[in-house]
Amino acid sequence: MIRKRAKTPRLIALVLAAAVVGVGFQVLKGDGTDALRYVLGNLAAPWLVVPFVGGRAVRSPARGALVGAVLAIVSLVAFYAALEVRTNSLSVHVASNYLLFCTAGAVAGAVVGCIASLSRRSELWWLTLCLPALFVLEPVAAFGVAFSGGRTPTNDVVWAVELALGIIGVAFICRRRSRSARSPSSALPLS
């Protein structure tokens, strides 16, 4: 029972962080008149950082999936609530789009949360690479789609930065893992 109480403040902090992320992305995106802000506000991979962190906070993959889904939904609801406050333009069509994105976000958050929870296991450490891999895959997919049309210099710069962040993240995790595998303390028995 004590362990559950100790985790509650952390989970509350994660829910609040998810709401702040959602509002922050809405503020960043703005009204769509600034191309750079619009592209930054529409990036998908950064949205999954909070569900990943939430999934790492719990041991059970099922709980990781639940926490990831809840955090994704909270951040998206906060994003759309901030949009409604700014524009005051709720309609049935817009609300159905919100539901679609919240459903997709919940599924993505659940998958990422489950993977993050599993990555806590030493034999599955490599699952931690999934988060920076998302930062690599989104720009790669975007560049592929952009070659068929709709390419802008703003998008290219943002995607290049996101790609670089993903590569740096993968390198950081691999280097850290390599160092911990070579350290003398990792060879000591745990008894």
Side-chain angles (χ1 to χ4, degrees), residues 24-61:
F25 268 100
Q26 183 51 237
V27 170
L28 175 65
K29 186 174 179 180
D31 61 4
T33 58
D34 182 330
L36 177 61
R37 288 178 62 189
Y38 186 78
V39 172
L40 287 171
N42 279 324
L43 290 175
W47 284 90
L48 296 173
V49 171
V50 175
F52 189 88
V53 171
R56 289 280 299 178
V58 296
R59 291 191 183 272
S60 159

Side-chain angles (χ1 to χ4, degrees), residues 52 56 61 65 110-120 124 127-128 130:
F52 189 88
R56 289 280 299 178
V111 169
V112 168
C114 179
I115 288 170
S117 179
L118 287 169
S119 75
R120 292 173 53 122
L124 297 176
L127 287 173
T128 307
C130 290

Side-chain angles (χ1 to χ4, degrees), residues 160-173:
V161 169
E162 186 180 24
L163 179 65
L165 288 172
I167 292 169
I168 290 167
V170 168
F172 175 79
I173 291 168

Side-chain angles (χ1 to χ4, degrees), residues 65-182:
L66 178 63
V67 168
V70 167
L71 293 175
I73 290 169
V74 167
S75 62
L76 286 164
V77 167
F79 177 85
Y80 290 122
L83 174 65
E84 291 306 321
V85 166
R86 187 173 54 79
T87 63
N88 198 18
S89 64
L90 184 63
S91 70
V92 173
H93 171 67
V94 171
S96 68
N97 284 341
Y98 295 171
L99 182 60
L100 174 68
F101 282 114
C102 285
T103 302
V107 171
V111 169
V112 168
C114 179
I115 288 170
S117 179
L118 287 169
S119 75
R120 292 173 53 122
R121 299 176 184 173
S122 61
E123 70 275 10
L124 297 176
W125 71 268
W126 54 271
L127 287 173
T128 307
L129 294 170
C130 290
L131 183 62
L134 292 171
F135 282 76
V136 171
L137 293 175
E138 181 178 20
V140 167
F143 280 129
V145 170
F147 282 122
S148 63
R151 230 175 129 172
T152 69
T154 301
N155 292 359
D156 288 351
V157 169
V158 171
W159 290 331
V161 169
E162 186 180 24
L163 179 65
L165 288 172
I167 292 169
I168 290 167
V170 168
F172 175 79
I173 291 168
C174 288
R175 182 174 176 159
R176 187 170 177 189
R177 176 65 184 174
S178 173
R179 280 185 178 174
S180 69
R182 288 186 303 212

